[in-house]
Amino acid sequence: MRHLLSTKQLSREEAIRILDVAEDMSDTQQRTVKKLPTLRGKTVVNLFFEDSTRTRISFEAAAKRLSADVINFAAKGSSVSKGESLKDTAQTLAAIGADGVVIRHPASGAPAVLAGSGWIDAGVVNAGDGTHEHPTQALLDAFTMRRRLHGAASRGRDLDGVRVVIVGDIVHSRVARSNLWLLCTLGAEVTFVAPPTLLPSAVGAWPATVRYDLDEALAERPDVVMMLRIQSERMHEAFFPNPREYSRQWGLSAERWATLPGSALVMHPGPMIRGLEISDEAADSPQSTILEQVANGVAVRMAVLFLSMTGSEAANPTETEIA
Ligand code: CP
């Protein structure tokens, strides 16, 4: 795997290979010395044209734990704000010898343009592009589900028959799209729940069941409930009457959370807006995997950087640790 641009590109075998390598990476993170020499001498550039907390710091932690040199580039404060193009930015990164580029960009397709451009000879990893995809988020979500549902027997397993309800701002969500493609590839069944205004017009052609009523969806006792952030920065008109109405109809309130089976996972990719999308009771409950998702993100991104920058045929990435 040279580039990771979308989960749609992944076969079942490729997805399971990434999740299994992430399990190996996660094991190394329990050691006293967490650092591996795997990417020593390589340079990873984190190229962020949009804000991020979790994705940026976990890619940085992942690259550093693999001993890569890391350069963090934020568009704010760079020559991009003076009008420099993606091409010139990429050629600047090539000139300083980047071996891997992690890119977040507001334009859907920007990582694919970079990967196919010939401007830079580096593995490109999509860290979120517009409303298109956020593949490492979906991989860390699948990793978290697999671990919680299959425990120590996770390796080699898919998510066959797991019922996942994804709730909220589907139309603007690259997380929803990446999760849909990956979960279907792994055998899970996906239901989207949202007001009609927050569903894309193409949703009828997607492999998901669509519902408008959250209580009806929860009454079917799903295995996983994934709440999404309302992406107000992408909303230039009113998509629902007001926040109170949204929360009443589509929020995971304390009362709704209490109706879920104790085994149901409560997920959110973050950043979450408490009181709007999710209540404190649900977010801080034992069923909540929200902080586990963040922790698992480091192991998953270590796996993705390793496979992208060394080739998936490489030997065991975790054999050696740096003393
Ligand atoms: N889940 C996610 O992408 O979070 P950040 O925007 O903080 O990176």
Side-chain angles (χ1 to χ4, degrees):
M1 181 185 75
R2 177 68 169 147
H3 309 296
L4 178 64
L5 304 175
S6 71
T7 56
K8 220 175 187 179
Q9 77 180 76
L10 296 174
S11 67
R12 179 183 174 280
E13 290 65 34
E14 287 168 329
I16 288 176
R17 164 87 169 130
I18 295 170
L19 299 180
D20 287 352
V21 173
E23 286 287 353
D24 295 340
M25 294 295 181
S26 179
D27 287 347
T28 70
Q29 299 309 293
Q30 313 311 315
R31 298 177 185 167
T32 317
V33 178
K34 295 182 169 52
K35 210 160 178 170
L36 302 165
T38 317
L39 296 183
R40 191 154 47 192
K42 306 257 188 197
T43 300
V44 174
V45 178
N46 283 328
L47 189 56
F48 276 64
F49 293 85
E50 272 189 345
D51 295 341
S52 170
T53 299
R54 278 147 286 274
T55 310
R56 194 185 59 73
I57 62 173
S58 83
F59 267 114
E60 182 174 353
K64 286 181 172 168
R65 303 249 171 107
L66 293 169
S67 302
D69 295 322
V70 180
I71 298 170
N72 287 314
F73 172 105
K76 277 181 208 151
S78 76
S79 289
V80 170
S81 52
K82 300 177 196 162
E84 189 164 43
S85 66
L86 182 60
K87 176 180 178 180
D88 289 328
T89 304
Q91 287 179 332
T92 302
L93 302 181
I96 59 161
D99 301 291
V101 177
V102 175
I103 176 171
R104 171 170 285 194
H105 200 284
S108 297
V113 169
L114 190 60
S117 64
W119 301 328
I120 184 168
D121 181 21
V124 176
V125 179
N126 180 3
D129 61 330
T131 59
H132 174 230
E133 282 230 29
H134 191 350
T136 58
Q137 179 68 47
L139 284 161
L140 75 88
D141 291 340
F143 181 90
T144 304
M145 289 178 213
R146 204 174 71 146
R147 267 213 165 165
R148 278 272 190 135
L149 298 171
H150 299 319
S154 282
R155 277 188 176 79
R157 299 281 295 270
D158 60 18
L159 294 170
D160 192 36
V162 174
R163 292 173 307 126
V164 182
V165 168
I166 302 180
V167 186
D169 186 358
I170 309 287
V171 71
H172 298 112
S173 179
R174 52 199 179 204
V175 174
R177 287 166 176 79
S178 282
N179 263 291
L180 176 65
W181 310 129
L182 182 62
L183 288 168
C184 288
T185 297
L186 293 175
E189 296 162 22
V190 177
T191 298
F192 285 148
V193 183
T197 48
L198 289 180
L199 287 163
S201 52
V203 75
W206 291 359
T209 302
V210 174
R211 286 187 174 277
Y212 307 109
D213 188 310
L214 180 55
D215 294 310
E216 279 180 18
L218 298 187
E220 290 175 358
R221 300 173 72 80
D223 302 301
V224 179
V225 180
M226 183 184 294
M227 307 306 293
L228 297 175
R229 184 172 71 84
I230 293 293
Q231 300 197 24
S232 41
E233 75 277 19
R234 299 190 207 278
M235 293 184 182
H236 307 295
E237 55 193 278
F239 284 79
F240 47 86
N242 56 55
R244 196 168 163 167
E245 181 65 12
Y246 179 86
S247 172
R248 194 177 68 74
Q249 291 210 50
W250 292 285
L252 190 58
S253 62
E255 295 73 27
R256 285 198 175 105
W257 162 72
T259 67
L260 290 174
S263 58
L265 308 185
V266 173
M267 305 185 78
H268 195 303
M272 60 184 157
I273 305 176
R274 288 173 183 257
L276 178 63
E277 300 138 12
I278 190 165
S279 60
D280 289 340
E281 288 82 355
D284 301 329
S285 67
Q287 294 122 299
S288 167
T289 63
I290 293 168
L291 292 177
E292 266 171 65
Q293 288 168 261
V294 176
N296 291 338
V298 177
V300 166
R301 287 166 177 137
M302 287 172 77
V304 167
L305 290 174
F306 163 72
L307 292 168
S308 163
M309 293 173 67
T310 66
S312 47
E313 305 313 318
N316 184 348
T318 65
E319 262 164 8
T320 327
E321 64 183 46
I322 291 177

